[in-house]
Amino acid sequence: MSWQATILTLFPDMFPGPLGLSLAGRALGGGVWSCQTHDLRQHGLGRHRAVDDTPFGGGAGMVIRADVVDAALSAIQAPEGAPRVFLTPRGRPLRQQDVSRYAQGPGVVLLCGRFEGVDERVLEARGIEQVSIGDYVLSGGETAALVLLDACVRLLPGVMGSDESGVEESFSDGLLEYPHYTRPASWDGRDVPEVLLSGNHAAIAAWRQKQAEEITRERRPDLWSAWLDRRERNEAAAGRSGQSGRTGV
Ligand code: ADE
Protein backbone atom coordinates (compact mmCIF):
# COMPACT_ATOMS: atom_id res chain seq x y z
CA MET A 1 0.00 0.00 0.00
CA SER A 2 1.51 3.30 -1.04
CA TRP A 3 1.47 6.51 0.99
CA GLN A 4 -1.35 8.65 -0.30
CA ALA A 5 -1.47 12.44 -0.57
CA THR A 6 -4.96 13.77 -1.28
CA ILE A 7 -5.08 17.49 -2.01
CA LEU A 8 -8.16 19.70 -2.01
CA THR A 9 -7.35 22.81 -4.01
CA LEU A 10 -8.61 25.36 -6.52
CA PHE A 11 -5.38 24.81 -8.49
CA PRO A 12 -4.96 21.07 -9.06
CA ASP A 13 -2.43 21.75 -11.83
CA MET A 14 0.07 22.90 -9.21
CA PHE A 15 0.58 19.22 -8.22
CA PRO A 16 2.81 17.29 -8.22
CA GLY A 17 4.77 20.27 -9.60
CA PRO A 18 8.40 20.04 -8.48
CA LEU A 19 7.61 16.79 -6.64
CA GLY A 20 7.27 15.11 -10.05
CA LEU A 21 11.07 15.46 -10.42
CA SER A 22 14.16 14.16 -8.66
CA LEU A 23 13.87 11.77 -5.69
CA ALA A 24 10.19 12.46 -4.99
CA GLY A 25 9.34 12.13 -8.69
CA ARG A 26 11.12 8.78 -8.96
CA ALA A 27 9.26 7.56 -5.87
CA LEU A 28 5.97 8.80 -7.36
CA GLY A 29 6.66 6.95 -10.61
CA GLY A 30 7.67 3.86 -8.66
CA GLY A 31 4.42 3.81 -6.67
CA VAL A 32 5.99 4.58 -3.26
CA TRP A 33 3.48 7.40 -2.91
CA SER A 34 0.52 8.76 -4.85
CA CYS A 35 -0.70 12.32 -5.34
CA GLN A 36 -4.41 12.78 -5.93
CA THR A 37 -5.88 16.24 -6.39
CA HIS A 38 -9.51 17.16 -5.96
CA ASP A 39 -10.80 20.46 -7.36
CA LEU A 40 -12.78 22.40 -4.74
CA ARG A 41 -14.53 24.23 -7.60
CA GLN A 42 -16.53 21.04 -8.35
CA HIS A 43 -18.44 21.71 -5.15
CA GLY A 44 -18.97 25.42 -5.76
CA LEU A 45 -22.46 26.88 -5.82
CA GLY A 46 -24.50 28.45 -8.59
CA ARG A 47 -23.69 29.27 -12.15
CA HIS A 48 -20.24 30.54 -11.17
CA ARG A 49 -19.51 27.63 -8.88
CA ALA A 50 -18.67 30.02 -6.06
CA VAL A 51 -16.61 28.43 -3.31
CA ASP A 52 -16.32 31.56 -1.15
CA ASP A 53 -18.39 34.34 0.37
CA THR A 54 -17.91 37.58 2.29
CA PRO A 55 -16.91 37.32 5.97
CA PHE A 56 -19.58 37.73 8.64
CA GLY A 57 -18.65 40.79 10.70
CA GLY A 58 -17.23 42.52 7.67
CA GLY A 59 -13.62 43.03 6.66
CA ALA A 60 -11.47 42.45 3.65
CA GLY A 61 -11.35 39.38 1.48
CA MET A 62 -13.46 36.29 1.04
CA VAL A 63 -13.84 33.12 3.07
CA ILE A 64 -14.14 29.58 1.69
CA ARG A 65 -17.51 28.14 2.66
CA ALA A 66 -17.84 25.30 5.18
CA ASP A 67 -20.38 23.40 3.05
CA VAL A 68 -18.06 23.46 0.03
CA VAL A 69 -15.12 22.03 2.00
CA ASP A 70 -17.40 19.44 3.62
CA ALA A 71 -18.76 18.29 0.25
CA ALA A 72 -15.18 17.90 -1.03
CA LEU A 73 -14.18 15.88 2.05
CA SER A 74 -17.16 13.56 1.49
CA ALA A 75 -16.26 13.06 -2.16
CA ILE A 76 -12.63 11.98 -1.71
CA GLN A 77 -11.35 8.53 -0.93
CA ALA A 78 -8.57 8.95 1.56
CA PRO A 79 -7.08 6.12 3.62
CA GLU A 80 -8.63 5.51 7.05
CA GLY A 81 -6.71 7.45 9.71
CA ALA A 82 -5.02 9.91 7.33
CA PRO A 83 -4.72 13.25 9.16
CA ARG A 84 -6.53 16.21 7.62
CA VAL A 85 -4.39 19.34 7.45
CA PHE A 86 -5.30 22.89 6.47
CA LEU A 87 -2.25 24.96 5.45
CA THR A 88 -2.52 28.43 6.92
CA PRO A 89 -0.21 31.05 8.43
CA ARG A 90 -2.55 30.88 11.47
CA GLY A 91 -1.61 27.25 12.12
CA ARG A 92 0.86 25.74 14.56
CA PRO A 93 4.36 25.60 13.10
CA LEU A 94 5.24 22.46 11.13
CA ARG A 95 8.06 20.56 12.86
CA GLN A 96 10.19 17.60 11.84
CA GLN A 97 8.34 15.49 14.44
CA ASP A 98 4.99 16.27 12.71
CA VAL A 99 6.51 15.38 9.35
CA SER A 100 7.77 12.11 10.77
CA ARG A 101 4.31 11.32 12.23
CA TYR A 102 2.65 12.04 8.87
CA ALA A 103 5.21 9.94 6.99
CA GLN A 104 4.64 6.97 9.29
CA GLY A 105 0.87 7.02 8.69
CA PRO A 106 -1.12 6.01 5.59
CA GLY A 107 -0.93 9.49 4.02
CA VAL A 108 -2.41 12.98 4.44
CA VAL A 109 -5.37 14.99 3.25
CA LEU A 110 -4.27 18.56 2.58
CA LEU A 111 -6.68 21.47 2.31
CA CYS A 112 -5.23 24.44 0.45
CA GLY A 113 -6.87 27.83 0.92
CA ARG A 114 -6.81 31.00 -1.13
CA PHE A 115 -8.46 34.26 -0.12
CA GLU A 116 -8.74 35.17 3.57
CA GLY A 117 -9.29 31.67 4.91
CA VAL A 118 -11.78 28.87 5.49
CA ASP A 119 -14.91 28.96 7.65
CA GLU A 120 -13.67 27.88 11.10
CA ARG A 121 -16.68 25.61 11.72
CA VAL A 122 -15.72 23.00 9.13
CA LEU A 123 -12.15 22.91 10.49
CA GLU A 124 -13.50 22.17 13.99
CA ALA A 125 -16.31 19.84 12.95
CA ARG A 126 -14.20 17.67 10.65
CA GLY A 127 -11.08 17.47 12.82
CA ILE A 128 -8.81 19.42 10.48
CA GLU A 129 -5.39 20.38 11.92
CA GLN A 130 -4.14 23.87 11.10
CA VAL A 131 -0.47 24.01 10.16
CA SER A 132 1.87 26.82 9.09
CA ILE A 133 5.20 26.37 7.34
CA GLY A 134 6.61 29.64 8.64
CA ASP A 135 5.98 33.20 9.74
CA TYR A 136 5.31 34.73 6.35
CA VAL A 137 2.21 34.88 4.18
CA LEU A 138 2.05 32.97 0.89
CA SER A 139 -0.55 33.65 -1.78
CA GLY A 140 -2.16 30.29 -1.08
CA GLY A 141 -1.69 26.98 0.70
CA GLU A 142 -0.52 25.05 -2.37
CA THR A 143 3.18 25.90 -2.11
CA ALA A 144 3.01 25.16 1.63
CA ALA A 145 1.42 21.78 0.81
CA LEU A 146 4.30 21.04 -1.58
CA VAL A 147 6.78 21.82 1.20
CA LEU A 148 4.98 19.52 3.64
CA LEU A 149 4.80 16.72 1.06
CA ASP A 150 8.48 17.06 0.13
CA ALA A 151 9.44 16.73 3.80
CA CYS A 152 7.23 13.62 4.20
CA VAL A 153 8.10 11.83 0.95
CA ARG A 154 11.86 11.90 1.57
CA LEU A 155 11.22 9.91 4.78
CA LEU A 156 9.22 7.14 3.09
CA PRO A 157 11.05 3.79 3.02
CA GLY A 158 13.24 3.42 -0.04
CA VAL A 159 13.10 7.06 -1.19
CA MET A 160 16.55 8.05 0.04
CA GLY A 161 19.79 6.21 0.49
CA SER A 162 21.11 5.38 3.95
CA ASP A 163 23.52 8.38 3.85
CA GLU A 164 20.76 10.92 3.80
CA SER A 165 18.68 9.22 6.47
CA GLY A 166 21.65 9.71 8.83
CA VAL A 167 21.42 13.45 8.21
CA GLU A 168 17.75 13.33 9.10
CA GLU A 169 18.57 11.82 12.49
CA SER A 170 21.14 14.48 13.22
CA PHE A 171 18.54 17.22 12.73
CA SER A 172 15.94 15.47 14.80
CA ASP A 173 18.24 15.51 17.84
CA GLY A 174 17.27 19.19 17.96
CA LEU A 175 20.47 20.90 16.76
CA LEU A 176 21.20 22.52 13.41
CA GLU A 177 23.79 20.69 11.37
CA TYR A 178 27.53 21.36 11.44
CA PRO A 179 29.08 22.98 8.29
CA HIS A 180 30.23 20.88 5.32
CA TYR A 181 33.38 21.07 3.20
CA THR A 182 34.72 19.26 0.15
CA ARG A 183 37.68 19.51 -2.26
CA PRO A 184 39.69 21.60 -2.90
CA ALA A 185 41.17 21.70 0.62
CA SER A 186 42.23 25.30 -0.02
CA TRP A 187 39.97 27.65 -1.98
CA ASP A 188 40.14 31.42 -2.45
CA GLY A 189 42.62 31.67 0.41
CA ARG A 190 40.36 29.69 2.76
CA ASP A 191 41.45 26.35 4.20
CA VAL A 192 39.20 23.54 5.33
CA PRO A 193 39.33 23.16 9.15
CA GLU A 194 42.38 21.01 9.78
CA VAL A 195 40.67 18.49 12.02
CA LEU A 196 38.57 17.31 9.04
CA LEU A 197 41.75 16.26 7.24
CA SER A 198 43.19 14.50 10.30
CA GLY A 199 41.48 11.12 9.87
CA ASN A 200 40.84 11.18 13.63
CA HIS A 201 37.17 10.18 13.70
CA ALA A 202 36.61 10.92 17.38
CA ALA A 203 38.12 14.39 17.03
CA ILE A 204 36.02 15.04 13.91
CA ALA A 205 32.83 13.96 15.68
CA ALA A 206 33.65 16.18 18.68
CA TRP A 207 34.41 19.16 16.39
CA ARG A 208 31.15 18.68 14.48
CA GLN A 209 29.14 18.42 17.68
CA LYS A 210 30.69 21.64 18.99
CA GLN A 211 29.98 23.43 15.69
CA ALA A 212 26.38 22.21 15.71
CA GLU A 213 25.94 23.53 19.24
CA GLU A 214 27.52 26.92 18.47
CA ILE A 215 25.54 27.44 15.27
CA THR A 216 22.29 26.48 16.99
CA ARG A 217 23.01 28.84 19.91
CA GLU A 218 23.73 31.72 17.52
CA ARG A 219 21.04 31.20 14.90
CA ARG A 220 18.20 29.55 16.79
CA PRO A 221 18.03 30.53 20.46
CA ASP A 222 14.63 28.78 20.64
CA LEU A 223 16.07 25.40 19.58
CA TRP A 224 19.15 25.96 21.75
CA SER A 225 17.23 26.50 24.99
CA ALA A 226 14.97 23.50 24.25
CA TRP A 227 18.11 21.39 23.65
CA LEU A 228 19.71 22.60 26.91
CA ASP A 229 16.52 21.76 28.82
CA ARG A 230 16.44 18.29 27.30
CA ARG A 231 20.11 17.71 28.12
CA GLU A 232 19.55 18.78 31.71
CA ARG A 233 16.57 16.45 32.06
CA ASN A 234 18.51 13.55 30.53
CA GLU A 235 21.47 14.13 32.84
CA ALA A 236 19.15 14.29 35.86
CA ALA A 237 17.47 11.04 34.76
CA ALA A 238 20.86 9.38 34.21
CA GLY A 239 21.95 10.57 37.67
CA ARG A 240 18.83 9.12 39.28
CA SER A 241 19.15 5.74 37.60
CA GLY A 242 22.89 5.66 38.46
CA GLN A 243 22.06 6.24 42.13
CA SER A 244 19.31 3.66 42.19
CA GLY A 245 21.77 1.21 40.61
CA ARG A 246 24.34 1.81 43.33
CA THR A 247 21.85 1.54 46.20
CA GLY A 248 20.27 -1.52 44.61
CA VAL A 249 16.73 -0.04 44.78
N1 ADE B 1 -0.80 29.81 3.39
C1 ADE B 1 -0.37 31.08 3.28
N2 ADE B 1 0.73 31.29 4.01
C2 ADE B 1 1.02 30.10 4.60
C3 ADE B 1 2.04 29.66 5.50
N3 ADE B 1 2.99 30.48 5.93
N4 ADE B 1 2.01 28.39 5.91
C4 ADE B 1 1.05 27.56 5.50
N5 ADE B 1 0.06 27.91 4.67
C5 ADE B 1 0.05 29.16 4.22
Side-chain angles (χ1 to χ4, degrees), residues 2 12 20 23 27 36 45 54 83 100 112 118 123 127 149 188 207 211 228 235:
S2 78
L23 283 178
Q36 280 159 25
L45 291 105
T54 53
S100 158
C112 302
V118 169
L123 303 175
L149 290 176
D188 201 24
W207 181 86
Q211 289 285 318
L228 286 178
E235 282 171 3

Side-chain angles (χ1 to χ4, degrees), residues 87-89 131-134 136-138 140-141 144:
L87 285 311
T88 165
V131 167
S132 165
I133 63 155
Y136 38 79
V137 181
L138 304 167

Side-chain angles (χ1 to χ4, degrees), residues 184-192:
S186 183
W187 173 80
D188 201 24
R190 294 161 185 267
D191 294 337
V192 165

Side-chain angles (χ1 to χ4, degrees), residues 101-135:
R101 171 168 58 90
Y102 297 148
Q104 280 165 35
V108 286
V109 176
L110 302 180
L111 172 61
C112 302
R114 292 265 149 178
F115 321 116
E116 271 314 292
V118 169
D119 191 308
E120 192 73 17
R121 292 169 296 179
V122 72
L123 303 175
E124 287 168 12
R126 299 294 177 257
I128 303 174
E129 300 175 34
Q130 299 188 48
V131 167
S132 165
I133 63 155
D135 293 340

